[in-house]
Amino acid sequence: MKLSARNLLKGRVVEVQKGQTTAHVRIEVGGGAVITASITNEAVDDLDLKTGDEATAVIKASDVLVGK
Amino acid sequence: MKLSARNLLKGRVVEVQKGQTTAHVRIEVGGGAVITASITNEAVDDLDLKTGDEATAVIKASDVLVGK
Amino acid sequence: MKLSARNLLKGRVVEVQKGQTTAHVRIEVGGGAVITASITNEAVDDLDLKTGDEATAVIKASDVLVGK
Amino acid sequence: MKLSARNLLKGRVVEVQKGQTTAHVRIEVGGGAVITASITNEAVDDLDLKTGDEATAVIKASDVLVGK
Amino acid sequence: MKLSARNLLKGRVVEVQKGQTTAHVRIEVGGGAVITASITNEAVDDLDLKTGDEATAVIKASDVLVGK
Amino acid sequence: MKLSARNLLKGRVVEVQKGQTTAHVRIEVGGGAVITASITNEAVDDLDLKTGDEATAVIKASDVLVGK
């Protein structure tokens, strides 16, 4: 499935931290940058996300702010 | 002002495309990745955003999906 | 690619309306419901979205409000 | 109050799962589809959301991605 | 219908600006603050939004960033 | 850094409630209104957010719904 989201950053999972309902997943993408995603625990289980996995951070253009 | 947003990607504006109310701004960040932001024309004017500017893409962790 | 988004509604595109930068795509999903997505024109071109296409509306759980 | 949100899916709550601050609410809408909403515990209490309630999933068009 | 969204700011519409698909609506809320909402033209028509109307800005808690 | 976000509401933190991964921060802005933000615990620590702090609620125009 191809996505309408304009921003797909490929990388590798460097941390998965689960809370009671919400998890934080950190993905190291190109250039040393680390993207933090806040997703459901259910999604972590469903995708079997764990440190070392190849993963993609997907971000809709309308969710990006610009600072200058 | 320091922001709660977990994802701040510094880069350089490579394109500004204005529509009637909404603009698309492309920022080249580290590793050759280009982030597209959909913001108001008013914001483009207010920040005087133009090609070549240093700018930062700001993304809240809860707006990041993960694909695997 | 499997997505962390909890809500994937499969259906058929019933309308694509492009503005200058932003497009509205309507997808008829199960039960006669029609989902409206506001995405970039670029995404419409990139996915070659047109009436009659099979498509999926993807929605992150944190973007859903509840009314009662 | 009428809402600007383009997507209002009526259904019935099939699960309410509270964490420490964030809850997941599942609403079965038409055609057997189940929508997951991630909202505050406070909202769950405020709306007295529980299994069996009639409820509406409200989604802004700009929060819908399209996959094809 | 009562909403899960934690932030409902009542005020008065001070400007409606329509583009080709997307409109910007400005609502003056308490204390002289003006909230800008980017919504579909269709929503503007559907709610018959115009200057002087009483209206409410509705914002989900997970869409609020904090700066300090 | 100047932000593209159209809505910046200055105020004072009146409550910080941390869960296991996600925190709720309440900011009293002008006119007695209180804005609730759902952000990561990490952001709370990073900004050292506590009751009494001056803080700003930052909201992108595309994340605002309108009710009438």
Side-chain angles (χ1 to χ4, degrees):
Chain A
M1 187 168 68
K2 195 170 181 180
L3 292 169
S4 62
R6 292 301 82 198
N7 302 302
L8 289 92
L9 301 168
K10 291 188 182 182
R12 197 168 289 275
V13 176
V14 291
E15 190 185 353
V16 177
Q17 181 194 1
K18 288 173 85 169
Q20 269 191 303
T21 52
T22 308
H24 294 166
V25 177
R26 288 185 178 76
I27 302 172
E28 189 174 331
V29 292
V34 176
I35 300 290
T36 300
S38 175
I39 63 176
T40 61
N41 281 353
E42 197 187 85
V44 169
D45 295 341
D46 202 17
L47 272 64
D48 187 25
L49 282 171
K50 51 192 184 308
T51 303
D53 284 353
E54 290 191 2
T56 303
V58 178
I59 303 151
K60 204 172 186 301
S62 55
D63 287 327
V64 182
L65 286 77
V66 178
K68 181 184 155 183
Chain B
M1 188 168 67
K2 196 170 180 179
L3 291 169
S4 62
R6 293 298 83 197
N7 303 302
L8 288 93
L9 301 167
K10 290 188 183 183
R12 196 168 289 277
V13 177
V14 291
E15 190 185 354
V16 177
Q17 181 193 358
K18 289 173 84 170
Q20 270 191 301
T21 51
T22 307
H24 294 165
V25 177
R26 289 186 178 76
I27 301 173
E28 190 174 330
V29 292
V34 176
I35 301 290
T36 300
S38 177
I39 62 176
T40 60
N41 282 352
E42 197 186 86
V44 170
D45 295 342
D46 202 17
L47 273 65
D48 187 26
L49 282 172
K50 51 193 182 307
T51 303
D53 283 353
E54 290 190 3
T56 302
V58 178
I59 303 151
K60 204 173 184 305
S62 56
D63 286 328
V64 181
L65 287 78
V66 178
K68 180 186 156 183
Chain C
M1 187 168 68
K2 196 171 180 178
L3 291 170
S4 62
R6 292 299 85 196
N7 303 300
L8 288 92
L9 301 167
K10 290 188 183 182
R12 197 166 288 276
V13 176
V14 291
E15 189 186 353
V16 177
Q17 181 194 358
K18 289 172 84 170
Q20 268 191 303
T21 52
T22 308
H24 294 166
V25 177
R26 288 185 177 76
I27 302 173
E28 189 175 331
V29 291
V34 176
I35 301 290
T36 300
S38 176
I39 62 176
T40 61
N41 282 351
E42 197 187 86
V44 170
D45 295 342
D46 201 17
L47 272 63
D48 187 24
L49 282 171
K50 51 191 182 309
T51 303
D53 283 353
E54 289 190 4
T56 302
V58 178
I59 303 151
K60 204 173 184 306
S62 56
D63 286 328
V64 181
L65 286 77
V66 178
K68 180 186 156 184
Chain D
M1 187 168 68
K2 196 170 179 180
L3 292 170
S4 62
R6 292 300 82 199
N7 303 302
L8 288 91
L9 300 168
K10 291 187 183 183
R12 197 167 289 276
V13 176
V14 291
E15 190 186 352
V16 177
Q17 182 194 359
K18 288 172 85 169
Q20 269 191 301
T21 53
T22 308
H24 294 164
V25 177
R26 287 185 179 76
I27 301 173
E28 189 174 331
V29 293
V34 176
I35 300 290
T36 300
S38 175
I39 62 176
T40 61
N41 282 353
E42 196 187 85
V44 169
D45 295 339
D46 202 17
L47 273 64
D48 187 25
L49 282 171
K50 50 193 183 309
T51 303
D53 284 352
E54 290 191 3
T56 302
V58 178
I59 303 151
K60 204 173 185 303
S62 55
D63 287 326
V64 182
L65 285 78
V66 178
K68 180 184 157 182
Chain E
M1 188 168 69
K2 196 170 179 178
L3 292 170
S4 62
R6 293 298 84 196
N7 304 302
L8 288 92
L9 301 168
K10 290 188 183 182
R12 198 167 288 278
V13 176
V14 291
E15 190 184 353
V16 177
Q17 180 193 0
K18 289 173 84 169
Q20 270 191 300
T21 53
T22 308
H24 294 165
V25 177
R26 287 184 180 78
I27 302 173
E28 189 175 331
V29 292
V34 176
I35 300 291
T36 301
S38 175
I39 62 176
T40 61
N41 282 352
E42 198 187 84
V44 170
D45 295 341
D46 202 15
L47 272 65
D48 188 25
L49 282 171
K50 50 193 182 308
T51 303
D53 284 353
E54 290 191 2
T56 301
V58 178
I59 303 151
K60 205 172 183 306
S62 55
D63 286 327
V64 181
L65 287 76
V66 178
K68 179 185 156 182
Chain F
M1 186 167 68
K2 196 172 181 179
L3 292 171
S4 62
R6 292 300 84 199
N7 303 301
L8 289 91
L9 301 168
K10 291 188 182 180
R12 197 168 289 276
V13 176
V14 291
E15 191 185 352
V16 177
Q17 181 193 1
K18 288 173 85 169
Q20 269 192 302
T21 52
T22 309
H24 294 166
V25 178
R26 288 184 179 77
I27 302 172
E28 189 174 331
V29 292
V34 176
I35 300 291
T36 300
S38 175
I39 63 176
T40 60
N41 282 352
E42 196 187 87
V44 170
D45 295 340
D46 202 16
L47 272 64
D48 187 23
L49 280 171
K50 50 192 184 309
T51 304
D53 283 353
E54 291 191 3
T56 302
V58 177
I59 304 151
K60 204 172 185 302
S62 56
D63 286 327
V64 182
L65 287 77
V66 178
K68 181 185 155 184

